[in-house]
Amino acid sequence: MSLTVIGIGPGDTCYLTAQAEAALAAADAVYGYGPYLDRLTLRADQERHASDNRQEGARASAALKHAAHGAKVAIVSGGDPGVFAMAAAICEQIEIGPDAWRALDVVVIPGITAMLAVAARIGAPLGHDFCALSLSDNLKPWPLIERRLDAAAQAGFVIALYNPVSRARPWQFGDAIECLRSHLPPATPVVFGRAVGRPDERVEITTLGAVNATLADMATLVIVGTRETRTIARPGRPPLVYTPRAAAEVSV
Ligand code: SAH
């Protein structure tokens, strides 16, 4: 009678925490988006329930129903399950679902979220105050996203952008960059981290003025710096991007 929501990190199994591994091993059944389940090695006696990317609500209620029937159920998310992922979908279903779901033992196991994995690749862009935004307008209106981008840039936060593009959302990322260009100087460092922790990983450093919006895809996390964020060139090595721990003045 338990449901464990497990963060499996950004890619390779080396990012699985020992806690996540133990929780996976204890599960009778594992639910998740197919490609996430493919990253895991499940035993023959463990049931595998793969579902499509967009079906979070249905996946959450199926897992809750299964757990309420007495099984030890795990549901996995890439990165951290609490960041634009399954833990909130589970809570949403518990809130509207039958009373039996409130009696379940629900455990959330954290994982390394994409912005931390990308940041670690290139230095310390999140070294000072930052925020994270999903650019997906599937569950919120686009004008709200623009308002949040305006506010975050004006307040001087480093901004981590999740879900920059998808097949159904081709123009939003370009609009977001235009919005940020209206607040921040062209030299502001921007990092594109694609499929970090996977074999096809690619990390690129550019500037807000030079951003090519077509560089982002569904597997990309974008970090937009502040006026304080700096790039350190190094001979024979990739540059370091960092945001100093101190902000001297109100810079917006
Ligand atoms: N729960 C996940 C985020 C899910 S939203 C987490 O904590 O990381 C999906 C978005 O996360 C993608 O569109 C992309 O912006 C980002 N993302 C997930 N895995 C990534 C990876 N390995 N490298 C770069 N970005 C990634």
Side-chain angles (χ1 to χ4, degrees):
M1 288 276 280
S2 67
L3 182 68
T4 311
V5 194
I6 305 176
I8 62 170
D12 191 271
T13 47
C14 72
Y15 296 101
L16 264 188
T17 65
Q19 188 191 21
E21 257 182 293
L24 276 169
D28 302 320
V30 184
Y31 285 70
Y33 174 44
Y36 293 158
L37 291 181
D38 291 343
R39 291 193 213 155
L40 308 171
T41 315
L42 300 181
R43 294 187 311 269
D45 64 307
Q46 292 181 302
E47 283 177 36
R48 182 183 189 277
H49 295 271
S51 48
D52 200 302
N53 203 2
R54 295 271 206 115
Q55 299 168 348
E56 284 102 348
R59 185 190 308 144
S61 59
L64 283 158
K65 209 181 279 177
H66 197 155
H69 277 105
K72 280 184 166 178
V73 176
I75 185 160
V76 298
S77 268
D80 181 90
V83 179
F84 308 123
M86 287 312 300
I90 291 285
C91 292
E92 287 162 13
Q93 295 302 316
I94 291 175
E95 192 170 14
I96 59 171
D99 287 348
W101 292 1
R102 297 185 183 220
L104 288 171
D105 191 12
V106 175
V107 178
V108 180
I109 301 201
I112 298 171
T113 188
M115 69 177 173
L116 301 185
V118 172
R121 280 289 186 274
I122 43 110
L126 306 178
H128 199 63
D129 301 345
F130 63 88
C131 67
L133 260 97
S134 168
L135 285 191
S136 171
D137 58 354
N138 290 336
L139 298 170
K140 60 188 172 187
W142 182 253
L144 174 64
I145 298 174
E146 282 190 322
R147 193 143 57 81
R148 290 183 176 167
L149 285 168
D150 285 336
Q154 278 168 356
F157 288 117
V158 177
I159 305 171
L161 297 173
Y162 284 75
N163 293 310
V165 257
S166 75
R167 245 165 269 132
R169 296 181 292 104
W171 54 265
Q172 282 84 341
F173 179 58
D175 274 29
I177 290 297
E178 283 313 315
C179 173
L180 294 172
R181 279 179 179 148
S182 70
H183 299 289
L184 294 164
T188 306
V190 176
V191 178
F192 284 70
R194 184 183 182 282
V196 167
R198 303 180 208 153
D200 51 339
E201 168 175 326
R202 198 179 65 219
V203 179
E204 300 199 19
I205 299 165
T206 179
T207 61
L208 192 57
V211 161
N212 170 1
T214 62
L215 269 184
D217 66 6
M218 274 172 71
T220 305
L221 178 113
V222 181
I223 297 178
V224 181
T226 65
R227 286 161 200 270
E228 284 89 20
T229 305
R230 312 178 60 76
T231 301
I232 309 175
R234 300 186 299 166
R237 293 177 189 279
L240 288 169
V241 178
Y242 83 107
T243 306
R245 291 169 299 150
E249 56 193 276
V250 179
S251 56
V252 285

